[in-house]
């Protein structure tokens, strides 16, 4: 049974525990994969996803129903991923690159194009990486991505197109 966002919001307001279970059923996997594309490592993605859901639960009272629930959730997840990346940078523990995680099931290493695409995405600056991932993988529109990134739709559109051009250049220059 698919639960829509209005049902989740209503359930969270009426019975937080039941509502949170519905929210987890609907968003655990999409938020995990969104975070995973940003942090790469499965363990890091699990940690950041768990932290994101804790923040979501604790701050749900601050959610403004005038905004998209999905955008609000992805924004919190994005912030958790960026916090983790920053912590790793401060601890001088680099976030793993695709070619360093051969045992990871995230990438099918027999598909060299997928590996090259992932390396191209990881070479992008964070804003472009975020815009590309949300548009390409999560199929979000520019307005929704703008809510997540706390910017304008035109800025997201520009970031996405620059990212796409860089990825094309990366993919064609490595032939």
């Amino acid at each position: 049974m698919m639960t829509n966002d209005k049902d989740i919001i209503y359930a969270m307001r009426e019975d937080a525990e039941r509502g949170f279970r519905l929210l987890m059923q609907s968003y655990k996997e999409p938020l995990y994969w969104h975070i995973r594309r940003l942090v790469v490592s499965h363990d890091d993605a699990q940690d950041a996803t768990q932290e994101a859901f804790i923040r979501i639960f604790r701050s749900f009272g601050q959610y403004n129903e005038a905004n998209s629930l999905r955008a609000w959730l992805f924004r919190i997840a994005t912030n958790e991923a960026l916090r983790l990346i920053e912590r790793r940078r401060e601890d001088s523990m680099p976030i793993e690159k695709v070619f360093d995680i051969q045992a990871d099931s995230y990438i099918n290493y027999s598909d060299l194009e997928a590996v090259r695409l992932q390396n191209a995405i990881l070479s992008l600056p964070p804003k472009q990486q975020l815009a590309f991932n949300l548009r390409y993988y999560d199929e979000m529109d520019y307005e929704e991505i703008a809510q997540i990134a706390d910017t304008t739709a035109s800025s997201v559109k520009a970031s996405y197109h620059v990212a796409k051009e860089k990825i094309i250049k990366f993919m064609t220059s490595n032939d």
Side-chain angles (χ1 to χ4, degrees):
M1 177 182 118
M2 276 301 278
T3 305
N4 71 36
D5 288 354
K6 288 186 190 309
D7 293 339
I8 293 169
I9 294 165
Y10 177 78
M12 286 289 291
R13 302 256 191 252
E14 296 300 311
D15 177 358
E17 190 176 314
R18 181 178 155 276
F20 194 68
R21 276 196 308 273
L22 290 174
L23 185 128
M24 290 285 291
Q25 287 171 352
S26 295
Y27 283 100
K28 185 177 182 182
E29 193 170 321
L31 291 181
Y32 166 82
W33 284 108
H34 168 64
I35 291 170
R36 178 76 182 264
R37 285 189 287 273
L38 295 172
V39 302
V40 181
S41 160
H42 167 70
D43 291 339
D44 286 345
Q46 279 190 316
D47 290 347
T49 302
Q50 186 175 20
E51 287 299 316
F53 276 105
I54 290 168
R55 283 187 192 275
I56 289 164
F57 185 79
R58 288 182 177 158
S59 63
F60 198 81
Q62 300 166 20
Y63 167 66
N64 178 353
E65 289 184 46
N67 297 321
S68 156
L69 177 64
R70 182 168 85 151
W72 186 74
L73 297 172
F74 271 78
R75 183 170 184 175
I76 291 171
T78 300
N79 289 341
E80 280 306 315
L82 296 176
R83 255 191 283 285
L84 180 87
I85 290 168
E86 189 56 36
R87 260 195 324 270
R88 294 289 187 257
R89 200 173 284 136
E90 287 171 1
D91 295 343
S92 70
M93 291 176 56
I95 295 291
E96 301 168 75
K97 294 294 182 194
V98 172
F99 37 79
D100 294 333
I101 53 174
Q102 296 291 330
D104 202 317
S105 62
Y106 177 46
I107 296 290
N108 174 1
Y109 284 93
S110 64
D111 183 351
L112 292 180
E113 284 298 304
V115 172
R116 289 174 61 200
L117 174 61
Q118 192 58 37
N119 283 330
I121 293 167
L122 290 171
S123 74
L124 298 170
K127 280 170 57 173
Q128 291 171 13
Q129 202 177 109
L130 182 64
F132 184 83
N133 283 338
L134 290 171
R135 182 83 176 151
Y136 182 79
Y137 290 110
D138 298 304
E139 300 176 352
M140 290 187 183
D141 63 35
Y142 296 117
E143 285 295 327
E144 199 166 21
I145 299 169
Q147 286 179 27
I148 294 165
D150 194 25
T151 189
T152 64
S154 59
S155 175
V156 169
K157 192 173 189 177
S159 289
Y160 174 76
H161 288 291
V162 169
K164 193 168 72 170
E165 292 303 315
K166 285 181 179 179
I167 289 169
I168 291 168
K169 186 175 180 181
F170 185 98
M171 297 292 285
T172 56
S173 69
N174 288 335
D175 283 339

